[in-house]
Amino acid sequence: MAANNSIEWRAVCEKFRLAQELSEIESKKDPENNPFRSKYKARDLLKEIHCSLKKIEIEEQGEAGDEADCESSQTADGEPEDGFEKTFTGDSAAGLRAARLAVLQYHLGVNHIETEELSAGELHLMVCMKLIDKCTTTRENVSLFIHVRNQLGILWAGRDEIEKAQGFLEIAETMYLVYMKEDGQPPLDLQDFFVPEGEELSQQEKIRRFEMAYTHTLYYLAQVYKNLQQYERAAQYCHSTLQRQLEYKQFAPLEWAINAATLSQYYITKTRYMEARHCLAAASVIANLAGEIPSEAAAKESEAESEKREELLQKRAEIARCWIKYCLNLLQDAKKLLEDNIGELDLDRQDELKRARRNEEEEKEKGRKSAILFGSSDTFDSICSLEEKVSSMLPLEFEEARSIFLVGQSYVTQAKEYFAMDGHVTDHIEILQDHSALFKVLAFFEEDLERRCKMHKRRVDMLEPICKDLNAQYYLLICRQLQFELAETYYEMMDLKLAVADKLDQPDVHTIKKFNHLCSSSMKYYQMFLDSTRSPEGKFPEKLEDDLLRPALVAKFRVARLHSKLISSNLATQMENLSLSLESYNFVVQYCEENPEAKNAVETELELSMEMVSLLPLKINRIRSTLASSK
Amino acid sequence: EANTNSDGDAIKVFVRVRPLTQGTGLSTDGDHSLCLTVSSPQTVRLHCKPEPRTFTYDHVADMNTSQEEVFSSVAKNIVESCMNGYNGTIFAYGQTGSGKTFTMLGPSELDNFSDELRGVIPRSFEYLFFLINREVERSGGTKSFLCKCSFIEIYNEQIYDLLDSVSTSLFLREDIKRGVFVEGSVEKYAASAAEAYQVLSMGWRNRRVASTSMNRESSRSHAVFTMTLESKETGQEVVNIRTSQLNLVDLAGSERQRDTHTEGSRLKEASSINRSLMCLGQVIMALMDVSNGKNRHICYRDSKLTFLLRDSLGGNAKTYIIANVHPGSKCFGETLSTLQFAQRAKLIKNKAMVNEDTQGNVR
């Protein structure tokens, strides 16, 4: 080891400090036409240090050249040695010498990579690897082991050799884990090799840097696994990256929160609601750490405040929208589980699931929970208490469903505040569509038909005004979605009214009027949807686009049914309605005859349409003869 | 014929191969070996190893194709649709030096309107005003048109107004009636092709000025020229107003678009982890793209460009992408990625569907 306080050594340390400064700070100010000026200067300094190190070594040791480590560039010979061929222990004098040279090689490697000389950079990194691979892993070199492998991982991924990158990074991961298990003391940072005595980093800073290097390893592995299409694993590594950032306080609150909220959406697609909820609760809590939202007045005063306000409001609204999806999917998944073949609540199934739930819930949750928790000591409790506000279990009855619905609805209100119609049309409508979907799935759990009908009415009330105002030239797809949804909602209400009326002996005039109104409203929106597919000249397409095929034929089919449902005491009107109904049924049948590939898309509807096409004419004829005889 | 199907095949792709040139200062100068051949008016064969690959598009134009031919196949229909109330968009995509600006504008410093080499944009102006005048004449004065132009630049995800060189960055907004628009951008009226061209060249000059004073390269920004056409028809006491938009877009050089999906397997670095966090989100997002039709929310917004033109990418609009490629063998990598992008573009269609619920509705 060099005498830590010699004048020469102080000069070396000063050079190293300068090289770091040039590379990290000065280089940002380099002119466009000479972008790597400071990096080149830093490189020269590093090379000088390398030379003087050699010199000091020779002077002190007197016994030069223990290995073939003369000059860097021509030494990448042979295979890297395996673990069992370690020559020195990492903390021996020889081990430290090797590590010190390796640090320089590492910096030279990174420097070359940053100046777009990848192959030269690779060479230096490999020399670095060889030097430390001769030593056992200790506190002195473990950090370097991880850093150099991170760099090699990035390098090889850039060359599209993902497996090679994966190899380096996975070794780094293992090394960290083994070191933490066997030693765990704060390791030396790369910088610690080149500071005069007494100026070493604090223990705390050493830990921070070491843990950060490992966080980076995990973060690169997340990307590697994504590129290898190992999605489950990639998600797991994203999760760990987030978790570690929080633990070691290495994060920007808003970005962290958005990442966690995004991860929750991944868990939703995998129906893992407990994990999704945890991510969301953490996202909400951490987003609050980003500071107070500047008031409107403050925003008017200064641009910085205005930007901050905009950003905070937007990110919080985004997180609210992720919560909405959580509630919605939880309800919808429960519905799927509980419904029978006509979409009604299956009571037997409900009992069965309730029983099953009592038995398994506890043990299942215990097993998974410990693996996924986020939080540093200060945030952990707030995250848990936010979690408690909404269930992560599939609701099995109305009350449970309702409490999830209410949470979802409160996030709807919150999200709409930022995503107002004026300025954010698409987002605003998407939120309303979610709100409508929340009502729709809540209605499934409601047993009282009148109350259920009222829930659907709420959907109509929120969607109908927009559907009227929205410009179809710019929002064609959304218009179609709204038209279709309104048509379906009215259809559903019509069905419910029918079910209610069936229980009465004789429906009164008011009920009939109401019923007919629902029928015509539904028809109106189906028709608007169908009309949206026409050409400017008003022609209906001969061949429907793939993504419109099923909706359009279903719309025709529904229109046909609705025409036949209309109630009228007037025979002539009855006959007319039935004829219109027949016409629409015919359309479905004929379209499928001309385009056989459509048959699969509307199997059930086609079957019923064919049946109706053969039955309706009889019915119509019967009315016609009654009419004729009554004249 | 262009109008029979309102949303069929929303995006068409035209590939244009530029001629080899010398003395342009490009690194490809003097290299005479080609990496591709135009094998038919719809196909191009790229000389890959070990097997050549053939790509198919709506149209492939070889080195000898004239500007007039490009205009007729790409822009004519779109301009006509605009007269009928459709929105239309023409994109030029490709590597720097592959001929995007030549295709769209023509040779640089062109003020001569009759030049044979003038590009798609001036020709579109001429054709649009030719159609307008014809329509006005035919209607006997019951129909009138109003044409407004705006010209913006998107650089580093910020929007600048090229018709107002002192403006700071602008915001995108959405309105229930007029769709997505740039709030506060200058709109200039144009009553003839010459006036429209004047607006264009004024903005174009600003774009260049910006490239020196602020150290930006024009090829790193997207430029969007938008013409809003309003037609007014007066019948018996009813006034019928229709508007449509024509967007002419010169995209940044494809090699600069690091943030698009063309990136391959490169890892994002974390030299400063805060900067890289956005990317972690993108990793997670990529995992969800293979989801099972679940209804989820993505917090990361579209880029400004795709948001502004969202209607053109798989919506209710006529869209043509001109993919410009350089045939030199040195450009092989870029050309391959341009051709692949162009092929993917054919698949861009709105993934969202009409939300038809298939469960339990046949009773």
Side-chain angles (χ1 to χ4, degrees), chain A residues 160 216 223 227 259 265 318 325 329 333 422-423 426-427 440 469 471 473 481 545 550 558 561, chain B residues 85 173-174 177 243 265 268 270 276 281 294-295 297 300-301 310 349 353 356-357 361 363:
Chain A
D160 265 336
H216 288 178
Q223 298 180 60
N227 288 332
N259 286 332
Q265 304 299 289
E318 298 272 12
K325 297 293 188 191
N329 280 286
D333 278 350
D422 180 26
T426 313
D427 289 299
K440 182 178 178 174
D469 285 345
N471 184 339
Q473 194 182 1
Q481 291 179 340
E545 288 284 303
R550 177 166 166 84
R558 298 274 174 78
R561 288 196 79 209
Chain B
R173 273 175 70 84
E174 253 188 306
K177 287 291 181 210
T243 61
S265 51
K268 289 267 170 58
S276 63
K294 283 238 169 196
N295 192 339
H297 177 65
Y300 294 95
R301 331 217 82 204
R310 85 158 50 154
K349 271 199 124 188
M353 300 275 272
E356 196 249 328
D357 185 353
N361 41 31
R363 281 180 203 163

Side-chain angles (χ1 to χ4, degrees), chain A residues 369-607:
Chain A
K369 204 158 186 173
S370 57
I372 62 152
L373 292 180
F374 280 134
S376 58
S377 49
D378 5 339
T379 52
F380 188 74
D381 290 344
S382 348
I383 292 173
C384 290
S385 73
L386 188 56
E387 273 188 281
E388 277 164 23
K389 294 191 172 139
V390 55
S391 164
S392 69
M393 301 238 253
L394 297 178
L396 297 179
E397 57 193 23
F398 181 78
E399 274 314 313
E400 290 174 351
R402 183 171 169 275
S403 67
I404 295 166
F405 168 89
L406 286 175
V407 172
Q409 185 168 252
S410 73
Y411 283 114
V412 165
T413 313
Q414 199 186 321
K416 276 201 298 193
E417 261 173 51
Y418 176 78
F419 291 111
M421 183 66 96
D422 180 26
H424 299 275
V425 176
T426 313
D427 289 299
H428 187 87
I429 295 176
E430 278 168 12
I431 295 167
L432 289 181
Q433 286 175 319
D434 281 346
H435 197 185
S436 165
L438 279 169
F439 269 114
K440 182 178 178 174
V441 65
L442 179 67
F444 166 81
F445 290 91
E446 173 61 68
E447 281 164 47
D448 181 305
L449 298 188
E450 282 294 349
R451 287 207 339 234
R452 205 194 279 188
C453 206
K454 284 198 179 103
M455 291 178 189
H456 290 302
K457 181 70 173 59
R458 293 284 303 271
R459 300 171 62 200
V460 167
D461 290 344
M462 66 177 83
L463 299 179
E464 204 160 36
I466 299 158
C467 191
K468 252 182 221 138
D469 285 345
L470 198 62
N471 184 339
Q473 194 182 1
Y474 295 101
Y475 299 104
L476 180 67
L477 184 77
I478 301 179
C479 279
R480 284 178 176 163
Q481 291 179 340
L482 292 175
Q483 286 155 358
F484 210 95
E485 183 161 357
L486 280 163
E488 278 193 324
T489 313
Y490 275 120
Y491 192 92
E492 197 130 358
M493 290 167 74
M494 176 276 290
D495 258 342
L496 289 167
K497 280 279 172 237
L498 199 61
V500 173
D502 278 349
K503 290 183 186 150
L504 305 171
D505 295 338
Q506 186 74 52
D508 56 27
V509 185
H510 177 71
T511 311
I512 290 172
K513 226 175 126 185
K514 179 100 200 201
F515 176 82
N516 280 345
H517 167 73
L518 292 172
C519 279
S520 356
S521 298
S522 181
M523 272 193 279
K524 179 178 90 183
Y525 284 107
Y526 278 127
Q527 200 54 54
M528 275 167 78
F529 168 72
L530 288 165
D531 288 344
S532 81
T533 66
R534 290 175 192 273
S535 71
E537 292 78 34
K539 232 179 96 217
F540 198 78
E542 273 164 35
K543 205 169 156 47
L544 288 157
E545 288 284 303
D546 282 352
D547 49 352
L548 286 175
L549 177 68
R550 177 166 166 84
L553 291 180
V554 168
K556 273 282 180 191
F557 173 77
R558 298 274 174 78
V559 168
R561 288 196 79 209
L562 287 157
H563 269 300
S564 69
K565 293 254 174 198
L566 283 167
I567 302 172
S568 168
S569 51
N570 181 324
L571 280 182
T573 317
Q574 271 180 34
M575 203 171 82
E576 193 191 331
N577 286 337
L578 289 180
S579 310
L580 287 169
S581 175
L582 179 61
E583 212 175 277
S584 293
Y585 280 127
N586 250 324
F587 180 93
V588 176
V589 175
Q590 265 176 18
Y591 186 91
C592 290
E593 250 165 48
E594 284 159 26
N595 304 278
E597 73 283 357
K599 282 181 186 162
N600 289 332
V602 286
E603 222 171 321
T604 332
E605 287 82 1
L606 179 62
E607 199 181 304

